[in-house]
Amino acid sequence: MYGMKKFQEALKSSKFILVDTTLRDGEQTAGVVFSNQEKIRIAKMLDSVGVHQIEAGIPVMGGDEKKAITQIAGLGLGASIMAWNRANVNDIKQSMECNVDSIAVSISSSDIHIKHKLNSSREQVLENMGKAVEFAKSSGLYVSVNAEDASRTEYDFLLQFAGVARKAGADRLRICDTVGVLEPFHTYELISRLIDDTGMDIEMHTHNDFGMAVANALAGAKAGARFLGVTVNGLGERAGNAALEEVAMALGHLFGEDLKVKTKDFRELSDYVARASGRSIPPSKPIVGTNTFAHESGIHADGVIKDPSTYEVFTPEEVGLERQIIIGKHSGSRAVQLKFQEYGINLSAEESAELLEPIRSATVDLKRTLFDKEIMYIYEEYLKQKEREKSGTTS
Ligand code: MN
């Protein structure tokens, strides 16, 4: 029953599979709640962008959450719809009532979590996980086993954990860097070794506590992890998760892997999730931030005007943005000329050079870049001044 069309195809043919958890881990961000309508909209957008699997939420929470997941599973999307569960049969029964095609069975594997959070033992963890996976598999569902806090788990126990998961029929193992303590060099070694030792399909689920969620996802990918867990805008617990748009663009441009993702819709998707989550996109956010294609400094603006590839690695259109030449303290005369061309005014090199001084001093006074209107006021003043000088010299 599991595996909607696009997910099934990806399982057969795609080197990497994107698993988006904006609706689960993203919503777990402190203070973030999506309405059901927003969840459905986000799921549709994720599907249309080309994400392969959507982790839609936690059915056992009941109420609205369960309703939204059921609705998303009923949309007939190409992406697989996964529900998150603790390692127990009741959670999974709740998920099955939502008609999802895939199940995430999550349980901690680190001693810190087993002792202090679960108040349990390694043996009990293995037993509960094995039983839960067997139950989900007996219903024909696709199953990911999530080793929570995997990055702080003793390696030998992680192997044992993986062995039990595989024996119970798990389709993949999610390596959760729950507290974000991995770094890319260690990640590469850990995942290479784990794949060698288990032969299992691995998913990277990385957190950004040290700003390395994307780097760790990519290090895992390089080591052979096929599934990459992401969220739109990197939304997620604490410092967030690996950002969908960053992972997808890095795989495309730095690894040369075409995931057939509709990247031109990234900004729209990011905007929507930003509004729905009440977490605005920082201007310097990689890939989709407004500043990604804003050029102010004279040298950069001049370069970009001559040939965008001088200071841009990909085009703004590729991610749904626009190039902007910003007029500010660091602007040069070429940028000023270009700005006036937008308004049908062709300045000579001399005029633009002369305008640069009052423009720069205005930006320093105001401590910001100028609005186009302000630039026009400066231009009008400049023309009046010229006029006065002219009449002064002729009379
Ligand atoms: Mn997480």
Side-chain angles (χ1 to χ4, degrees):
M1 126 187 212
Y2 70 76
M4 299 295 110
K5 200 165 143 266
K6 202 165 55 194
F7 181 59
Q8 264 175 340
E9 278 169 18
L11 282 179
K12 276 188 223 136
S13 60
S14 187
K15 187 166 174 192
F16 294 111
I17 293 172
L18 292 172
V19 180
D20 185 281
T21 183
T22 305
L23 297 175
R24 199 274 303 168
D25 209 321
E27 205 195 31
Q28 275 173 229
T29 309
V32 170
V33 185
F34 296 126
S35 73
N36 280 12
Q37 219 180 322
E38 287 168 336
K39 283 188 181 177
I40 288 160
R41 169 62 44 204
I42 291 168
K44 283 180 179 171
M45 288 174 103
L46 287 169
D47 183 60
S48 141
V49 152
V51 160
H52 305 105
Q53 189 168 52
I54 296 168
E55 192 165 56
I58 308 173
V60 79
M61 285 170 67
D64 261 5
E65 174 87 353
K66 202 170 163 185
K67 228 185 276 171
I69 297 164
T70 308
Q71 276 178 283
I72 291 168
L75 290 172
L77 302 179
S80 150
I81 306 300
M82 172 174 264
W84 191 95
N85 305 265
R86 291 168 299 182
N88 70 60
V89 169
N90 179 52
D91 275 33
I92 296 167
K93 279 183 179 162
Q94 301 287 322
S95 290
M96 285 161 63
E97 284 175 20
C98 298
N99 293 318
V100 296
D101 56 83
S102 299
I103 293 284
V105 172
S106 199
I107 191 162
S108 297
S109 53
S110 72
D111 289 327
I112 303 176
H113 275 217
I114 292 171
K115 193 172 167 207
H116 300 292
K117 186 181 100 169
L118 301 178
N119 198 12
S120 183
S121 65
R122 286 181 171 188
E123 293 69 30
Q124 197 60 53
V125 162
L126 295 179
E127 192 186 323
N128 292 351
M129 182 264 284
K131 276 187 187 155
V133 174
E134 272 169 23
F135 177 72
K137 283 312 294 180
S138 69
S139 310
L141 297 163
Y142 177 96
V143 176
S144 166
V145 169
N146 307 351
E148 198 190 334
D149 205 20
S151 48
R152 291 192 297 177
T153 300
E154 193 190 301
Y155 187 74
D156 285 343
F157 184 63
L158 193 58
L159 272 191
Q160 221 181 320
F161 186 96
V164 171
R166 192 179 44 187
K167 201 165 157 233
D171 295 281
R172 73 169 186 251
L173 180 67
R174 178 182 290 178
I175 293 298
C176 304
D177 185 18
T178 304
V179 290
V181 292
L182 286 178
E183 48 83 12
F185 304 100
H186 174 62
T187 302
Y188 182 81
E189 276 174 24
L190 173 69
I191 300 303
S192 302
R193 194 173 166 200
L194 197 61
I195 291 173
D196 267 359
D197 288 343
T198 67
M200 285 182 87
D201 266 346
I202 302 291
E203 174 187 348
M204 299 305 299
H205 177 92
T206 51
H207 276 273
N208 208 30
D209 296 71
F210 287 93
M212 286 187 279
V214 171
N216 282 318
L218 294 177
K222 198 130 206 168
R226 199 179 166 206
F227 296 79
L228 301 169
V230 292
T231 60
V232 177
N233 298 338
L235 202 63
E237 299 244 33
R238 301 181 316 280
N241 290 70
L244 162 66
E245 57 281 359
E246 295 172 30
V247 168
M249 287 296 281
L251 282 176
H253 284 273
L254 309 181
F255 283 23
E257 294 294 340
D258 183 8
L259 297 188
K260 308 209 165 44
V261 168
K262 264 199 243 162
T263 60
K264 67 176 181 50
D265 293 341
F266 273 169
R267 172 66 196 207
E268 197 187 333
L269 174 62
S270 285
D271 251 337
Y272 187 80
V273 171
R275 270 176 224 178
S277 61
R279 298 287 183 280
S280 56
I281 306 172
S284 60
K285 165 83 177 59
I287 311 298
V288 292
T290 311
N291 270 5
T292 320
F293 291 96
H295 304 282
E296 182 190 309
S297 98
I299 294 164
H300 284 221
D302 183 54
V304 165
I305 292 161
K306 285 175 181 150
D307 181 348
S309 70
T310 51
Y311 288 102
E312 293 172 1
V313 190
F314 50 88
T315 67
E317 295 79 28
E318 199 177 329
V319 291
L321 278 167
E322 281 175 14
R323 181 173 303 118
Q324 293 171 280
I325 302 295
I326 304 289
I327 301 300
K329 184 186 168 186
H330 305 96
S331 292
S333 56
R334 189 73 188 91
V336 171
Q337 263 180 329
L338 199 83
K339 177 52 83 180
F340 278 87
Q341 270 170 27
E342 285 176 21
Y343 291 89
I345 300 166
N346 289 305
L347 299 178
S348 68
E350 193 196 340
E351 286 172 319
S352 62
E354 282 174 356
L355 274 166
L356 207 51
E357 201 198 302
I359 285 174
R360 280 184 176 161
S361 79
T363 65
V364 174
D365 281 349
L366 295 164
K367 292 169 82 71
R368 59 168 168 78
T369 58
L370 300 184
F371 305 135
D372 287 6
K373 251 214 157 80
E374 291 171 326
I375 298 165
M376 285 303 152
Y377 288 144
I378 291 173
Y379 180 59
E380 282 165 21
E381 290 290 321
Y382 168 79
L383 288 181
K384 277 183 205 156
Q385 177 69 25
K386 277 265 168 191
E387 206 48 49
R388 278 198 292 273
E389 277 171 21
K390 229 201 238 163
S391 48
T393 49
T394 48
S395 60

